[in-house]
Amino acid sequence: MAVPPARAGDTAMDRPTDQASDKATNKATGAYRTIGELARDTGLPPHILRYWETRFPQLRPLQRAGNRRYYRPEDVALVERIARMLNQDGYTIRGVQQALAAGGPSTDAPPRAMTAAVRTVRDALAAALDADRAG
């Protein structure tokens, strides 16, 4: 929605604003997020977030009147972790459930595929360095 140009005598309260961009910029890092805000921030549809609540007992946002969900910063971090494990690391739902129940993998641990790729590049660079020194 485009914001019309200001007219003489208008105040900020008189003009409509782009609410989506206002909400994104006005939320503090530690603020609770609604399901719509979390969906927008993570790129995940709300129905996926609701489904994950049924599959992952660790994901329990606050629910207020009318079942409105409010995600705490810990919930947001967990959603991002689950999304990474499913979409980037190649885990299945069951695999993520088991990993979360066992307390792993942490958000600091690199994915296994990335570790193997880094080793391959490191070995190739070491071989190239050795060849350069010998040649």
Side-chain angles (χ1 to χ4, degrees):
M1 172 169 121
V3 177
R7 291 177 283 178
D10 272 357
T11 65
M13 299 299 268
D14 297 331
R15 285 180 269 129
T17 61
D18 184 4
Q19 293 177 351
S21 65
D22 282 349
K23 286 182 183 177
T25 58
N26 289 336
K27 280 284 187 174
T29 305
Y32 287 19
R33 306 267 191 260
T34 64
I35 194 167
E37 291 167 342
L38 183 59
R40 182 190 65 231
D41 293 346
T42 60
L44 296 165
H47 72 273
I48 296 294
L49 296 170
R50 287 189 296 271
Y51 173 71
W52 286 357
E53 289 175 29
T54 68
R55 295 290 153 210
F56 303 105
Q58 300 88 345
L59 183 58
R60 290 288 169 230
L62 296 175
Q63 289 191 341
R64 298 285 168 94
N67 285 336
R68 285 189 56 95
R69 290 164 169 82
Y70 291 96
Y71 291 86
R72 297 171 288 246
E74 309 86 59
D75 296 322
V76 172
L78 181 58
V79 164
E80 291 170 347
R81 184 175 172 192
I82 291 169
R84 180 181 48 83
M85 291 173 76
L86 288 170
N87 299 326
Q88 295 173 2
D89 297 348
Y91 282 81
T92 62
I93 294 279
R94 182 77 177 136
V96 174
Q97 289 170 336
Q98 291 173 346
L100 291 176
S106 72
T107 55
D108 297 334
R112 288 175 289 211
M114 183 183 296
T115 304
V118 169
R119 276 194 200 111
T120 303
V121 170
R122 182 193 64 199
D123 293 343
L125 289 172
L129 185 60
D130 290 340
D132 189 45
R133 286 182 186 156

